[in-house]
Amino acid sequence: MSDQERADIKNNNYKGVLLHGYYTYGDTPGVIAYYKSSTTQADDQGSIIQIDSNLKLEHKFLICDVAYYGLQRKQSGIPLFFQEV
C-alpha cells in the first residue's frame, strides 16, 4: 500500500481496500473488503490489520474459510498445510 493510499484512507477519500489474495492474486476464496477501523483490538493478521501507528483496517468475517489465512492444499489435494504461521 502506497503512502498516498494510506493518506487517502486516513482522510476518508477511500472507505477501505480490497484484498484479492493472501500470497498471490486469486488464492483466496473471494475478495476481502477491509475498512478503516477504530477498534482497540490487536492486529491478528486476518480480520484486523495494523497498517501503521495511525491506521487499522478491519474485515468482519461471518464465516471464515481457512484459505483466507493462507491455508492451502497441495496439488494432490492432500494434506492441508500452512505456508506461513
Side-chain angles (χ1 to χ4, degrees), residues 1-21:
M1 182 179 288
S2 72
D3 291 340
Q4 183 61 52
E5 290 166 328
R6 285 192 294 275
D8 284 340
I9 293 171
K10 289 176 187 177
N11 295 326
N12 297 314
N13 294 328
Y14 295 140
K15 291 182 180 181
V17 298
L18 297 177
L19 180 70
H20 291 269

Side-chain angles (χ1 to χ4, degrees), residues 16-67:
V17 298
L18 297 177
L19 180 70
H20 291 269
Y22 190 87
Y23 297 107
T24 60
Y25 189 96
D27 71 352
T28 55
V31 176
I32 308 168
Y34 284 92
Y35 296 97
K36 185 176 167 183
S37 177
S38 60
T39 185
T40 58
Q41 294 180 343
D43 182 331
D44 64 8
Q45 299 181 16
S47 60
I48 299 169
I49 300 173
Q50 182 86 42
I51 301 300
D52 62 34
S53 61
N54 298 311
L55 179 61
K56 281 186 185 178
L57 298 176
E58 183 174 6
H59 177 83
K60 296 186 185 289
F61 288 99
L62 299 177
I63 297 174
C64 185
D65 186 312
V66 292

